[in-house]
Structures are given as C-alpha cells and as structure tokens.
Amino acid sequence: MKQSKKTPKVTDVYRLLEAEFGAVETPLTFSKPYELAIAVILSAQCTDERVNQVTPELFRTFPTLESFAKAPITAIEKKIFSTGFYKNKAKNIQGFARMVLSEFGGEIPKTMEEAIKLPGFGRKTANVVLAEIYGVVEGFVVDTHVKRLTKRLGFTNKTDPVQIEREMMKVTPKEICRNLSLYLIFLGRKYCQARRTFCSDCPLSSLCPSFSE
C-alpha cells in the first residue's frame, strides 16, 4: 500500500465517517442493561451477527440476572455453544450475574474502576457498556477492526489494545470517542477488511495514508 499521505486529523476522519454512516448504535441487540453486558461478553472472538442469533433464546431461557446466577452452568453453555469459547463465557456470564447481584445491588456499576472488576469485563467490554447504558465515556473501544484501522490511518503503531486506547484518547475529543469507535468498526466491516480493502469506494480515500489504487 502507498504511504504518501500524512496522518489525518481525527476530527477530519470523524466528519467523513459521520457523513457516511450517520447516527450509529451498537449492533448488539438488547432490552436491558445486563443483556448488553452479556452480549458483549459473548462477542469476544465471535461476530455480532452470531451473538444476535443466540441472545433472544438465551434471554428467554434466563429472563433475569437471578436466573443466570442460579442456573446450572451446563445449561448456559448449551445456549451459547455456537459463539465459541462457551465454557469460559458461561463461567464469566454467571460470575458477572452473581457479582452484580451480590456487590452492586443488581445494577451495573457506572465507573471503569468498578466495572473492570466484573467477570468477563476487560476495558473493551466496560467501555461499551458504560457508554451505551450510562453515556459515560472513560475510554475508547478497541476491537479487532479499530486495532487494524488506527494503524492503517497512522494514528498508532502500537499493537496492544490498551496502548492503542491511550493513544486514541490523547487525540480524540471525548465527545466523539463513542461514535468514532463505532464508525471505525463499521468502516472495517464494509470497506477496510482484514483480508480485502475497497479503497476506491472508501469515504476516507482522500486522506488515508494507506490508500491503495
């Protein structure tokens, strides 16, 4: 790929992606805050589409946090098998439900410091849940798409998600962190995939330093 352009301004990238994608919402479907948290736990190493196929039946079978907390772990495993790593995810989901009930009165905590104590919660999961449920932005969501695109755009040369998050937080106005992360995820799915790029159609072609003719 050509490397002829300078690293663009984050705000210019945001402006172009906002024009392309408009208002954005998390692609994970949920009706209760804890359902989003469980969906994000399930999304590790799994597509959002697959998670959205699994969660309706999962939430019908276990309609409350209490039901997740008390269920036989094998019953949860059976419902989430197709998302991969189902044993560890089931353990995290049940541990999450139990901790939220026992230590946080049934409510997901509103701070990063408390949220990352929950089973299955790294910074990515905590950032998604805090932003979507409470409108609290304490970081920048870094998934595989964001990791790939921030490098291609020249924003970072780091490979560790936590380091990428720190660098993005330095250059991104806080009020656009949530949307920019979602925009990059959508861009990665549509135009800038891991194995194939559609640079000529990409809304960032005019400023991307990795643009390929």
Side-chain angles (χ1 to χ4, degrees):
M1 286 192 254
K2 293 184 178 180
Q3 296 289 332
S4 58
K5 300 173 185 174
K6 295 181 179 179
T7 301
K9 293 181 179 179
V10 167
T11 49
D12 289 339
V13 169
Y14 180 83
R15 173 177 50 81
L16 291 173
L17 294 181
E18 183 180 35
E20 173 74 15
F21 296 111
V24 283
E25 298 179 348
T26 176
L28 296 169
T29 56
F30 66 98
S31 60
K32 302 172 185 176
Y34 75 80
E35 290 182 353
L36 173 63
I38 290 172
V40 179
I41 291 172
L42 290 174
S43 71
Q45 303 297 312
C46 181
T47 65
D48 292 338
E49 290 78 11
R50 170 61 63 182
V51 173
N52 287 339
Q53 291 171 7
V54 168
T55 50
E57 177 62 22
L58 178 69
F59 296 145
R60 280 193 294 269
T61 304
F62 308 105
T64 64
L65 272 176
E66 288 81 3
S67 60
F68 277 108
K70 296 176 181 178
I73 196 72
T74 53
I76 300 175
E77 290 174 356
K78 184 180 296 185
K79 294 296 182 182
I80 66 171
F81 177 82
S82 65
T83 68
F85 303 96
Y86 65 97
K87 287 186 176 291
N88 190 54
K89 289 179 181 180
K91 180 180 177 181
N92 284 334
I93 289 169
Q94 187 162 77
F96 157 79
R98 289 175 175 175
M99 184 176 284
V100 169
L101 289 167
S102 65
E103 297 190 23
F104 298 104
E107 298 289 334
I108 297 174
K110 297 181 180 181
T111 67
M112 177 66 69
E113 183 180 9
E114 290 181 312
I116 59 175
K117 295 177 182 177
L118 294 166
F121 268 57
R123 288 191 62 89
K124 173 196 165 185
T125 301
N127 275 323
V128 172
V129 173
L130 291 176
E132 295 297 326
I133 300 303
Y134 299 123
V136 173
V137 177
E138 291 200 26
F140 196 96
V141 175
V142 178
D143 76 341
T144 55
H145 296 291
V146 174
K147 180 179 178 180
R148 182 174 70 256
L149 268 65
T150 51
K151 184 175 182 179
R152 288 181 177 175
L153 287 165
F155 292 142
T156 181
N157 59 6
K158 305 295 185 183
T159 57
D160 177 69
V162 174
Q163 293 179 323
I164 294 171
E165 180 185 1
R166 288 173 182 160
E167 294 206 349
M168 290 305 295
M169 289 298 291
K170 290 178 182 177
V171 298
T172 308
K174 195 170 184 178
E175 63 270 17
I176 68 171
C177 280
R178 180 259 187 190
N179 281 7
L180 179 59
S181 177
L182 283 171
Y183 285 147
L184 291 174
I185 291 170
F186 294 155
L187 184 75
R189 291 175 177 170
K190 186 173 182 179
Y191 297 110
C192 200
Q193 300 166 8
R195 297 183 180 180
R196 186 180 181 187
T197 59
F198 302 88
C199 292
S200 60
D201 297 323
C202 178
L204 300 185
S205 60
S206 63
L207 48 72
C208 179
S210 295
F211 176 80
S212 179
E213 296 288 355

